[in-house]
Amino acid sequence: MNLDDLRIVINVAKFQSIKLAGEHLSVQTATASAAVKRVERHFGTELFIRSTRHLRLSPAGERFLPTLEQAFNMLGNIEQEVRSEKDQIEGEIRLSVSSDFGRNKILPWLDEFMVKHPSLSIKLHISDSNIDFYRDPVDLALRYGSPKDANIYGFKICDVPRILCASNDYLHRFGTPTTLEELQQHNGLLYQLYDKVYDHWDLEADGQVTKVRMRSNRASNDAELVRRWCVAGKGIANKSLLDMADDLLAGKVKPIELSHAPPRSHLWLICPTRQLITPPVRLLREFISEKCDTVFTHLKQQHLYPVSH
């Protein structure tokens, strides 16, 4: 049962005619009649007594119609308030995003989001470093991995598989590894945070994690640069599926499937206080979640979503 059905029933009671109610609301008589039947079926009672020429309220209709009309008006007011709130979303969002995902996905998504909500302004902070909400000029952060600080609030956006991948050119020149031992003979494209180079990759099978040490001639603290090296054929990368989605769909890189795979991660929208979880932030969370779902759908359609996940 929905508001449109209730609107029709209330007008049928007002005009004492399904035909006149339909004409008043610019709907076909059959449509109005079906709406009446749906509402009666929902409540399990007839609201009208019908004859070939006349229609009038049943005893149940006389008791319940005033309450239904009151409920209809209340629901209509709530719906209008929600629509108005969405239409009038305004303010400033100060958001931190990681370099690769931020530049190649979030940036165009935010452009689209701001077209829908032109009264919003965005201040975007791009960094792969850990965020300090009390030092950095941001209110929100999109980050891979669950928040470890109990004082941090946030929304989980989605689960995100990670993949091993390389360009067709690299795999043509050096071959596609099929075992962990063969993988270790390849050039790993490594991520570095501060002074730590992440040259040990966690790879999982049947719930057991194996650490594989990769040799490498390239490491960077910029995740986007790691992706660019991968596309350019410089080695094998261990990356988020979201980061590599466009390159996978364009055929610039191929996933490498072994008996082990990188453990999946999670995308979170986090903030330091509940007061920052405003209507614009909730809308942004829903919007990004829908966009991520669309990306994963396209990957699944092209059989590029990891089966092991």
Side-chain angles (χ1 to χ4, degrees), residues 92-96 121-125 136-141:
E92 180 181 84
I93 293 178
R94 302 193 305 169
L95 175 67
S96 174
S121 63
I122 300 286
K123 286 187 177 178
L124 197 61
H125 179 270
D136 299 320
V138 298
D139 299 321
L140 305 161

Side-chain angles (χ1 to χ4, degrees), residues 138-240:
V138 298
D139 299 321
L140 305 161
L142 267 174
R143 284 294 183 266
Y144 291 121
S146 304
K148 295 179 174 57
D149 187 341
N151 296 317
I152 294 296
Y153 298 90
F155 302 103
K156 180 181 173 182
I157 302 293
C158 60
D159 292 335
V160 184
R162 296 185 65 85
I163 61 167
L164 302 177
C165 56
S167 70
N168 291 323
D169 176 64
Y170 178 87
L171 296 176
H172 177 73
R173 286 185 290 127
F174 298 102
T176 301
T178 58
T179 66
L180 297 185
E181 292 74 17
E182 289 180 1
L183 176 66
Q184 288 181 290
Q185 303 307 310
H186 284 262
N187 191 48
L189 303 173
L190 304 181
Y191 177 69
Q192 177 178 347
L193 184 60
Y194 306 116
D195 294 329
K196 182 176 181 180
V197 177
Y198 289 85
D199 58 353
H200 285 78
W201 288 354
D202 288 344
L203 299 174
E204 185 180 56
D206 300 323
Q208 299 296 316
V209 175
T210 300
K211 287 188 177 294
V212 176
R213 183 169 185 175
M214 297 297 297
R215 64 181 189 177
S216 174
N217 63 4
R218 283 178 168 81
S220 176
N221 66 342
D222 188 324
E224 184 186 19
L225 186 52
V226 174
R227 181 185 61 81
R228 291 189 180 189
W229 281 336
C230 181
V231 173
K234 306 303 182 183
I236 293 175
N238 179 349
K239 291 280 289 178
S240 154

Side-chain angles (χ1 to χ4, degrees), residues 96-103 126-128 142-144 243:
S96 174
V97 295
S98 58
S99 61
D100 199 356
F101 185 50
R103 288 189 179 99
I126 292 184
S127 173
D128 285 326
L142 267 174
R143 284 294 183 266
Y144 291 121
D243 290 354

